[in-house]
Amino acid sequence: MDLQNRAEAGGDGHDESVLNPEMPNETDLTKKERRRIEKEKLKGMGTGKKLQYIWMYYKIHMLCVLLVIGGVCLGVNIYRHAQMKTVLSIAVVNAGNYDSEKVEEDVLKTLGTEDKYAEVSVAQNLMTDETGEDFDYYARIAYVTEIQSATVDVLIMPKELYEHEKDSGMYADLRETFGDEVFESLGAVDDQHLELDGSSSVAEEFGLSYDPVCICLPGNVKNKDNALKWIQSVLK
């Protein structure tokens, strides 16, 4: 290739062999020789020029590294999430301001589980309408979805709402669920629910403003043993 053709091929100015015929073409260099030349170029540059140079010639490599790191982090998070197991799920109607993380940690301690992947879930997206006797439109959808998908173990609600819902067939018979002896020890008001007053620890933890506080279980409760353990702890 003559000098004119080499100059046209190296029009970006990067191939210094165009200006210096004695310098071999960079495509003919070994990897070791290329690294040595790159180091020499960087030594003669200021900080700003070095950064520009590195970004210009190595941005693809850096982006690839970032993508790999991001992929690894995403994979780890997905794996950890897949390992998590909900040991108790509580749905609270008209919840006030409260520290959900602290409540979940306290419930885990109460359950005494040693499984590092165990978690407690608290749903607070259930609100009543202006009458206080029924769910609002969106809460009704969320409520039915949670019940039918068996993703809730304990329901906490105002007495007015319970009275409105008690004949829906959604709630478990506590006597049948726990047996006569345990049922009697709970002091339940009827076969489907028990009540706590508005000054109870449950009302305080969840920032509830209603009195009494009704607790019941869905008919398809999955974690009934943990639900019972939690109920017994709040009755003390």
Side-chain angles (χ1 to χ4, degrees):
M1 179 184 295
D2 57 26
L3 288 178
Q4 181 178 358
N5 290 337
R6 289 176 63 188
E8 292 175 355
D12 61 357
H14 182 63
D15 189 351
E16 297 183 17
S17 64
V18 173
L19 301 178
N20 186 358
E22 296 181 359
M23 180 179 289
N25 192 302
E26 290 189 8
T27 57
D28 299 328
L29 298 174
T30 66
K31 290 183 178 180
K32 184 176 181 180
E33 290 172 328
R34 290 179 187 176
R35 285 196 297 269
R36 179 177 56 79
I37 293 175
E38 294 297 326
K39 287 181 181 179
E40 290 176 355
K41 289 179 182 178
L42 289 172
K43 284 180 181 179
M45 297 180 183
T47 303
K49 290 289 186 181
K50 284 182 180 179
L51 292 176
Q52 291 179 2
Y53 183 86
I54 291 172
W55 174 248
M56 181 180 297
Y57 291 100
Y58 298 101
K59 58 186 176 183
I60 299 299
H61 302 79
M62 290 188 286
L63 289 174
C64 289
V65 171
L66 290 175
L67 287 174
V68 170
I69 293 174
V72 170
C73 292
L74 178 61
V76 170
N77 287 333
I78 292 175
Y79 173 77
R80 287 181 177 175
H81 182 73
Q83 298 299 306
M84 298 305 293
K85 177 184 178 183
T86 301
V87 293
L88 186 67
S89 178
I90 303 173
V92 186
V93 178
N94 293 348
N97 294 322
Y98 71 97
D99 188 338
S100 60
E101 185 174 336
K102 182 180 182 303
V103 170
E104 291 168 1
E105 289 177 356
D106 289 344
V107 175
L108 271 177
K109 291 179 182 177
T110 297
L111 299 180
T113 179
E114 297 181 357
D115 187 346
K116 66 179 181 179
Y117 295 112
E119 67 176 358
V120 170
S121 170
V122 178
Q124 51 180 325
N125 59 338
L126 301 179
M127 304 295 293
T128 55
D129 59 16
E130 63 277 3
T131 70
E133 298 179 356
D134 195 4
F135 290 108
D136 68 20
Y137 177 77
Y138 295 105
R140 169 65 63 181
I141 295 174
Y143 166 74
V144 172
T145 301
E146 290 174 355
I147 295 294
Q148 291 184 343
S149 61
T151 56
V152 62
D153 301 305
V154 177
L155 291 158
I156 301 174
M157 64 184 67
K159 180 70 174 285
E160 295 80 7
L161 180 61
Y162 170 74
E163 291 294 336
H164 183 271
E165 297 290 323
K166 66 180 182 180
D167 296 324
S168 65
M170 292 281 199
Y171 304 143
D173 185 310
L174 301 179
R175 187 184 296 275
E176 292 181 359
T177 302
F178 299 130
D180 290 336
E181 184 177 349
V182 172
F183 174 79
E184 295 298 336
S185 70
L186 297 178
V189 176
D190 59 31
D191 287 351
Q192 293 188 134
H193 88 291
L194 52 92
E195 295 180 5
L196 302 174
D197 61 49
S199 61
S200 65
S201 61
V202 171
E204 182 179 350
E205 282 185 336
F206 293 105
L208 306 180
S209 59
Y210 45 85
D211 186 3
V213 175
C214 294
I215 298 177
C216 51
L217 276 58
N220 57 354
V221 56
K222 291 172 61 177
N223 299 301
K224 70 175 185 178
D225 291 338
N226 285 337
L228 175 61
K229 190 178 294 186
W230 178 79
I231 289 173
Q232 289 173 327
S233 73
V234 301
L235 292 176
K236 294 180 181 178

